Amino acid sequence: MGHYVMRRVLQMIPVFFGATFLIFVMVYGLPGDPIAAMFGDKAADPATVANLRHQYHLDEPWWKQYLIYMGNVFQLDFGTSFTGRPVSEIMADAFPVTIRLALVAFFFEIVIGLPLGLLAGLKRGSFGDTSVLIITLIVISIPVFVLGYIAQTVFAIDLGWVTATVQDSTDILQLLLPGLVLASLSLAYVARLTRTSIGENLRADYLRTAVAKGLPRRTIIGRHLLRNSLIPVVTFLGTDLGALMGGAIVTEGIFNIAGVGNILYKAIRTKEGPTVVGIVTVLVIVYLVASLVVDLLYAVLDPRIRYA
């Protein structure tokens, strides 16, 4: 098991450097001068511009800028935004908010998506199966921003059950509605993926053997069927946790949540390169850690994988 984990960790190293390198080049390779954009329509003093470009290493070749940035990252220094505020402070304020929102959305994916998929998979062709397919197809067809505005109008404005915007991001109850909206698309995919995986394994030889042995239905479903059917679902859930954090821009905008998505959107609009690169670097780490956890869960669900 130790060698299995070590191989996965070593594979993460080139992925991390490759991903951060591409992000860095794309952000700082965008047309336009971010230093000049700081002054807007006002004429900037050339000496001041040169000093700022030197301060942010923009007068260095791009490859040297990347090496300087990575050297600082390993010291947990993600640079300073063009407004003078350390990027680490910006992320310290934004990431806890988005993590809470993503965990709420992830909770909905598991407690709603998995049972719906299990019900549909075990009762294929039934009314429940057809209902799950129709409902999930409708959810997939509706854009997230439309679903968000519908949920906001119905539950906040018309019914008054919740506030239209999140007033306190530390209050989990206020994050339930935006969390459900954020999880809606992934929830539908989890349900459909679970249904398909269970349907395939129901026809497998090992399951017919378990039934022929006379094992209890609970044991057949819990120990044999679910354990093998959850492998593709775990893959999706593991990678989706990072996607929820990075893809919360629309949801955070609708519900006025000052999280990573909101900060990232504003940073892109204002060409705040250090903020964009710093946030995306952390998101890359989140993706890699989530992938590692998924690989470890593979080995738990199917011991044959660790010996492959």
Side-chain angles (χ1 to χ4, degrees):
M1 187 66 175
H3 293 290
Y4 175 82
V5 175
M6 184 59 63
R7 286 200 306 270
R8 293 297 181 268
V9 172
L10 291 177
Q11 290 172 2
M12 291 168 57
I13 297 176
V15 174
F16 172 74
F17 282 105
T20 53
F21 176 76
L22 290 175
I23 292 164
F24 191 91
V25 171
M26 286 189 291
V27 169
Y28 285 98
L30 293 174
D33 188 354
I35 300 299
M38 293 172 58
F39 296 92
D41 297 331
K42 298 179 181 179
D45 178 36
T48 304
V49 172
N51 183 51
L52 288 173
R53 290 182 62 83
H54 178 73
Q55 178 182 343
Y56 290 98
H57 307 290
L58 297 178
D59 55 347
E60 302 284 357
W62 57 266
W63 59 267
K64 190 172 182 180
Q65 294 180 43
Y66 176 73
L67 292 179
I68 294 173
Y69 172 73
M70 291 307 300
N72 292 333
V73 166
F74 286 113
Q75 300 177 37
L76 300 181
D77 179 10
F78 293 91
T80 305
S81 69
F82 294 147
T83 59
R85 188 182 180 194
V87 176
S88 57
E89 289 186 7
I90 297 175
M91 294 192 295
D93 292 338
F95 263 98
V97 177
T98 299
I99 289 174
R100 284 192 292 269
L101 179 62
L103 289 177
V104 170
F106 195 70
F107 171 79
F108 281 125
E109 287 186 31
I110 294 176
V111 301
I112 298 179
L114 285 179
L116 286 179
L118 179 61
L119 171 66
L122 293 176
K123 304 290 184 181
R124 291 177 71 92
S126 64
F127 175 77
D129 179 32
T130 305
S131 300
V132 170
L133 289 177
I134 293 176
I135 293 173
T136 54
L137 183 60
I138 292 174
V139 172
I140 292 172
S141 303
I142 301 176
V144 175
F145 65 90
V146 175
L147 190 63
Y149 281 120
I150 292 174
Q152 191 179 52
T153 302
V154 173
F155 295 105
I157 299 176
D158 294 341
L159 298 177
W161 291 355
V162 294
T163 56
T165 58
V166 175
Q167 307 297 327
D168 182 8
S169 60
T170 60
D171 187 357
I172 298 298
L173 294 178
Q174 293 190 29
L175 294 178
L176 290 180
L177 185 59
L180 183 59
V181 171
L182 179 61
S184 57
L185 183 62
S186 299
L187 186 154
Y189 281 128
V190 167
R192 296 175 76 90
L193 182 60
T194 305
R195 173 189 179 273
T196 302
S197 183
I198 286 179
E200 292 176 353
N201 282 281
L202 279 173
R203 299 188 295 269
D205 292 336
Y206 75 88
L207 202 67
R208 286 195 289 265
T209 302
V211 174
K213 287 181 177 181
L215 295 177
R217 179 176 175 82
R218 178 181 299 179
T219 302
I220 294 174
I221 295 176
R223 182 176 299 177
H224 298 281
L225 178 61
L226 277 181
R227 187 168 184 175
N228 289 278
S229 301
L230 285 180
I231 290 180
V233 181
V234 166
T235 304
F236 180 84
L237 288 173
T239 55
D240 192 53
L241 184 58
L244 289 173
M245 295 181 61
I249 295 177
V250 175
T251 306
E252 291 183 355
I254 294 173
F255 293 94
N256 193 31
I257 303 173
V260 170
N262 213 333
I263 299 297
L264 188 59
Y265 173 70
K266 293 178 180 178
I268 293 173
R269 286 190 59 188
T270 56
K271 295 183 179 180
E272 278 278 355
T275 304
V276 174
V277 174
I279 290 177
V280 178
T281 298
V282 175
L283 289 177
V284 168
I285 296 174
V286 171
Y287 270 105
L288 292 176
V289 172
S291 299
L292 178 62
V293 173
V294 167
D295 289 337
L296 296 180
L297 288 177
Y298 278 171
V300 173
L301 294 171
D302 188 352
R304 295 172 298 177
I305 294 177
R306 64 184 115 169
Y307 301 114

